[in-house]
Amino acid sequence: MTDVKPVEELSQAEARRELDRLARQIAAANRAYHTEDAPEITDADYDALKRRNAAIEARFPGLKRADSPTEQVGAPLAEGFAKVRHDVRMLSLENAFGMSDVAGFDDRVRKYLGLSPQSPLLYTAEPKIDGLSLSLRYEGGLLVRAATRGDGETGENVTENARTIADIPKVLSGAPDLLEVRGEVYMAHADFAALNARQAAGGEKSFANPRNAAAGSLRQLDAAITAQRPLRFFAYAWGALSEPLADTQSGAIARLALLGFQTNPLMQVCDGPEALLDHYRRIEVQRATLGYDIDGVVYKVDDLALQRRLGFRSSTPRWAIAHKFPAELAWTRLEAIDIQVGRTGALSPVARLVPVTVGGVVVANATLHNEDYIAGRDSRGDPIRGGRDIRVGDWVQVYRAGDVIPKIADVDPSRRPQDAGPYAFPVTCPRCGSDAIREAGDSVRRCTGGLICPAQAVERLKHFVSRAAFDIEGLGAKQVEAFYEDGLIRTPADIFTLRDRFGSGLQQLRNREGWGEKSAENLFAAIDDRRRIPLNRLIFALGMRHVGEVSASLLASHYHSWAAFEAAMTAARVGEGPEWAELTAIDGVGDVLATSVVMTFQQKREREAIDALVAHLQVQEVAARAPVDSAVAGKTVVFTGTLERMTRAEAKARAEALGAKVAGSVSAKTDYLVAGPGAGSKAAKATELGVTVIGEDAWLALIGTA
Ligand code: IVH
């Protein structure tokens, strides 16, 4: 790791080089420890780096760097990036993979807006840059903050680093008072190759692809390092604004170009799906000679008033879509099929491959999905790949699409070894030996061992400490695995008794490789920090099947407190009773999710583990859905009859965005019935119940958009 040459023998030039490298390595270790929750080196190695750095500085005091790591001796490790909450969320894009998806996108947009297939509708089409998104905030024309996307709500403050990027203007003239410009940071192919050559020459690790290089360069704690990396920036969107940039997407981008931003020269306005596909093909032809990576073409509705009407789904806009390029392919040999057991017991077959380069990245593993996929049939039993099965020893075609796990597309039976027999998918769990069963209608075979299965237990713990769950600093996936192996942590509750079970706990942890006194103390403090936890995070952390971040938040904002949630789930029975009715009435909670949650609370072992955990926690209540300040917030609305100024879908989405609940039928709980021409029985029922009945115009006046 470090140069072994004794300090006394170093030349001045060697010493300078080594101090530079040590500063980078120590900064990288700090970052891995603080911002990535994944220490890459042991405390002992970290201390050795710092000692070596200090010894060289002692011999060559003149070479001490302005940002010398010795200045931090005894002090806490440098903090990671500060968090930044985005005023306007940074969203991702829905993907389209072929012609029919693009036509489907156009159809959906038109339906939502109530436009006929013949009405004119313009879109922009532009390359999808394969980098990382960045939001730049200008106040009074000055760059005041730059933030990464993070989880879309909260990103990292990388202002100092962004200032080192030549494409990013620091001062704007003639800009709105408040302007957040969004776009992609990327690295050009030539710069990437030169950087990797420099890294190799300096004994540093090289980057797998330009996107990783761009991300690694932007997320440097030391902006001086970012400054040496050739990063670029294309502007393609915006966040908060004090005044509109233009009336159209294309106009807004032209305005950003005038303000001094780089915008992509291949953006074009197109008048429908045919024109979009034409432009897609033109961009695809130029892809190899652009000099930077793109992974598709983004289509956006050009008219910004229509974009506003279309609005957003939970994490993607309705007015845009990313049409991805087809995946890259390569042939290689399948050496083995391993079975991994996941958090919910799913047995996932993984292909171990003779390593092969696919689109610039070496691939040695790929997913095989499930047993049907290996056998050459889909979930309905119909043949896929012409019914060809996949066997160990086969030549298989691997592909990668974007960031996703590589997959196997096809198999070449003509090159199959004589002795290759059909693959027998295990019917018992390879980790705990319990039966692995496949429920009717499920494509996945699952281990029935629950928490007695070590694989499930570890995966659940990893999920429990993950970023969107308990996010305990210093306790990442790697540490959880090691603690599990040692028997120190078997269930989530064990995390919270770690300190008590070892008295001060220090001795035991100190003996573990990689844990010094300081890191153990830090860990205990980080665990204590999480004894207070918001209800939504707790529900997500429990790792119940089908309960993701969004549904955990739905449950939390419906039940507010752990006591209420727990009482309701304890009383609930699948498919019957008031608790079940209440649970499944939550918008976004379907029968499958509800069954999973209710069943979890009924299983003795699961229930005991949950109770043991919660005994250590103070669960913070979650307020009802973000109180929206509007005349209809909290009101229940029913739409009936024909709406003339918008479609039903748009009316519903807008009402919900303003905090109203949209119901399908009129009851005593209904606040407004919005009735258009042709309203029938609902209007009669509303009158009978004394519910306020209004027309579409009155509704629009009420929500302030008449
Ligand atoms: S528009 C509200 N345009 O792709 C959506 N995104 O997969 C704003 N990206 O997070 C994004 N090139 O990082 C947009 N021309 C482009 C893009 C682009 C790359 C990235 C962006 C986004 C991701 C979604």
Side-chain angles (χ1 to χ4, degrees):
M1 176 189 48
T2 42
D3 196 334
V4 284
K5 203 166 183 181
V7 173
E8 299 69 45
E9 287 172 32
L10 291 176
S11 70
Q12 176 131 347
E14 285 172 329
R16 178 178 288 120
R17 267 202 304 278
E18 210 189 326
L19 285 179
D20 289 353
R21 200 183 65 219
L22 285 164
R24 276 198 302 275
Q25 286 181 324
I26 293 169
N30 286 345
R31 189 182 58 241
Y33 186 93
H34 281 282
T35 48
E36 286 155 23
D37 275 356
E40 285 168 355
I41 61 174
T42 62
D43 285 9
D45 287 343
Y46 178 77
D47 290 341
L49 289 179
K50 291 193 82 167
R51 272 201 307 278
R52 172 93 180 164
N53 187 75
I56 300 174
E57 285 179 353
R59 188 164 160 237
F60 299 101
L63 294 183
K64 189 163 170 178
R65 294 165 53 101
D67 60 350
S68 165
T70 25
E71 300 305 321
Q72 297 157 21
V73 167
L77 291 171
E79 278 302 325
F81 295 103
K83 300 267 187 277
V84 172
R85 220 181 147 72
H86 299 297
D87 281 355
V88 176
R89 270 194 316 150
M90 288 183 81
L91 298 165
S92 52
L93 294 170
E94 192 195 338
N95 289 329
F97 291 98
M99 307 261 261
S100 60
D101 289 352
V102 177
F105 166 64
D106 178 60
D107 267 2
R108 282 198 306 280
V109 166
R110 285 174 186 276
K111 280 219 179 79
Y112 192 93
L113 296 170
L115 296 177
S116 74
Q118 290 75 36
S119 320
L121 180 59
L122 298 179
Y123 294 96
T124 57
E126 69 201 63
K128 182 170 188 298
I129 317 297
D130 197 6
L132 69 153
S133 45
L134 186 67
S135 185
L136 304 168
R137 187 179 174 99
Y138 293 86
E139 288 174 6
L142 297 181
L143 174 62
V144 294
R145 203 181 68 196
T148 60
R149 187 175 104 138
D151 62 4
E153 305 251 352
T154 310
E156 288 173 324
N157 186 335
V158 291
T159 313
E160 290 318 307
N161 304 16
R163 283 186 199 286
T164 70
I165 300 177
D167 282 350
I168 295 180
K170 310 325 166 256
V171 184
L172 304 176
S173 74
D177 214 33
L178 168 64
L179 168 63
E180 273 180 13
V181 175
R182 291 177 174 178
E184 203 85 351
V185 173
Y186 68 101
M187 198 178 278
H189 290 156
D191 292 331
F192 167 69
L195 171 64
N196 260 357
R198 278 207 306 279
Q199 294 282 109
E204 305 274 339
K205 83 170 187 20
S206 53
F207 294 100
N209 54 44
R211 184 167 44 82
N212 285 355
S217 301
L218 184 68
R219 296 184 68 256
Q220 286 286 340
L221 285 176
D222 180 358
I225 298 177
T226 310
Q228 294 161 15
R229 303 280 175 82
L231 294 174
R232 303 184 188 210
F233 181 79
F234 272 129
Y236 52 63
W238 55 90
L241 287 176
S242 53
E243 59 189 86
L245 287 169
D247 294 336
T248 58
Q249 175 75 29
S250 47
I253 298 304
R255 175 91 194 278
L256 292 179
L258 276 178
L259 288 171
F261 290 93
Q262 299 299 319
T263 58
N264 198 285
L266 293 174
M267 188 183 83
Q268 187 167 306
V269 177
C270 300
D271 65 4
E274 289 300 324
L276 290 174
L277 289 166
D278 282 346
H279 196 51
Y280 171 89
R281 290 187 201 108
R282 271 195 293 277
I283 292 178
E284 196 176 25
V285 170
Q286 295 179 60
R287 184 181 185 191
T289 51
L290 286 178
Y292 50 87
D293 278 351
I294 63 173
D295 57 348
V297 179
V298 181
Y299 308 142
K300 301 172 184 169
V301 170
D302 194 34
D303 183 328
L304 297 182
L306 297 183
Q307 280 194 10
R308 267 191 299 280
R309 281 180 58 193
L310 286 156
F312 304 91
R313 301 180 208 91
S314 64
S315 65
T316 55
R318 287 193 193 86
W319 43 264
I321 198 158
H323 187 178
K324 304 294 281 282
F325 290 130
E328 312 200 47
L329 298 161
W331 285 94
T332 187
R333 223 173 69 88
L334 174 62
E335 291 199 304
I337 297 177
D338 285 352
I339 301 288
Q340 280 176 356
V341 184
R343 171 165 65 84
T344 58
L347 266 45
S348 307
V350 179
R352 304 292 179 206
L353 306 165
V354 175
V356 62
T357 306
V358 190
V361 174
V362 178
V363 171
N365 305 307
T367 176
L368 284 165
H369 307 286
N370 54 50
E371 58 188 297
D372 287 342
Y373 192 80
I374 298 177
R377 50 176 187 253
D378 67 14
S379 57
R380 288 189 307 273
D382 295 332
I384 51 170
R385 296 186 301 271
R388 291 186 291 281
D389 69 335
I390 295 174
R391 303 182 182 188
V392 173
D394 270 342
W395 279 84
V396 290
Q397 192 183 39
V398 187
Y399 70 100
R400 272 179 67 235
D403 226 4
V404 296
I405 311 164
K407 301 186 173 96
I408 305 281
D410 209 350
V411 54
D412 182 353
S414 71
R415 298 170 83 180
R416 173 169 287 169
Q418 294 273 311
D419 57 349
Y423 178 72
F425 202 92
V427 290
T428 54
C429 172
R431 290 296 301 278
C432 71
S434 304
D435 287 343
I437 59 164
R438 218 178 132 171
E439 281 168 18
D442 195 352
S443 58
V444 171
R445 192 171 282 280
R446 287 173 205 279
C447 159
T448 52
L451 284 173
I452 63 153
C453 174
Q456 287 191 51
V458 167
E459 291 307 317
R460 291 225 211 157
L461 285 167
K462 286 188 195 166
H463 171 82
F464 186 83
V465 299
S466 66
R467 227 162 247 273
F470 271 66
D471 191 20
I472 297 172
E473 196 163 335
L475 193 62
K478 263 199 285 190
Q479 291 79 15
V480 161
E481 250 170 42
F483 281 124
Y484 186 89
E485 295 255 304
D486 289 1
L488 281 173
I489 297 178
R490 285 283 154 103
T491 67
D494 293 343
I495 294 172
F496 296 93
T497 58
L498 202 55
R499 190 202 289 270
D500 296 347
R501 274 181 292 134
F502 296 102
S504 75
L506 289 182
Q507 194 53 47
Q508 178 91 7
L509 277 182
R510 206 189 287 143
N511 293 342
R512 283 181 50 82
E513 201 198 339
W515 287 89
E517 184 157 328
K518 187 156 149 272
S519 45
E521 259 165 14
N522 286 346
L523 175 62
F524 293 144
I527 292 172
D528 286 344
D529 258 5
R530 289 293 186 266
R531 286 178 199 269
R532 266 171 69 82
I533 191 91
L535 179 60
N536 54 322
R537 278 188 177 250
L538 170 62
I539 296 177
F540 174 67
L542 296 179
M544 295 177 282
R545 238 174 109 190
H546 307 295
V547 182
E549 252 180 282
V550 173
S551 35
S553 288
L554 289 177
L555 292 170
S557 43
H558 179 83
Y559 292 99
H560 309 313
S561 70
W562 173 258
F565 176 65
E566 187 235 54
M569 294 310 106
T570 308
R573 293 293 166 267
V574 173
E576 57 187 74
E579 290 83 9
W580 174 260
E582 181 181 351
L583 177 61
T584 50
I586 301 174
D587 198 14
V589 176
D591 284 2
V592 174
L593 189 155
T595 305
S596 163
V597 176
V598 171
M599 295 291 284
T600 303
F601 276 77
Q602 276 174 19
Q603 279 156 22
K604 188 162 168 284
R605 226 175 227 283
E606 301 286 344
R607 188 55 209 259
E608 282 167 3
I610 293 173
D611 291 346
L613 166 68
V614 174
H616 298 289
L617 304 176
Q618 201 186 335
V619 185
Q620 293 165 290
E621 293 195 3
V622 167
R625 276 219 154 277
V628 182
D629 188 17
S630 82
V632 297
K635 306 283 189 210
T636 301
V637 192
V638 176
F639 293 97
T640 186
T642 315
L643 298 182
E644 290 171 327
R645 307 218 355 221
M646 56 183 136
T647 59
R648 203 50 92 69
E650 182 178 357
K652 179 167 189 282
R654 270 164 84 177
E656 284 172 352
L658 291 168
K661 203 174 150 211
V662 179
S665 57
V666 175
S667 74
K669 286 191 191 154
T670 310
D671 293 294
Y672 296 106
L673 177 74
V674 181
S681 62
K682 283 185 188 163
K685 181 155 186 209
T687 317
E688 189 187 311
L689 292 170
V691 169
T692 312
V693 181
I694 55 176
E696 187 177 1
D697 287 340
W699 166 254
L700 289 175
L702 187 65
I703 63 175
T705 52

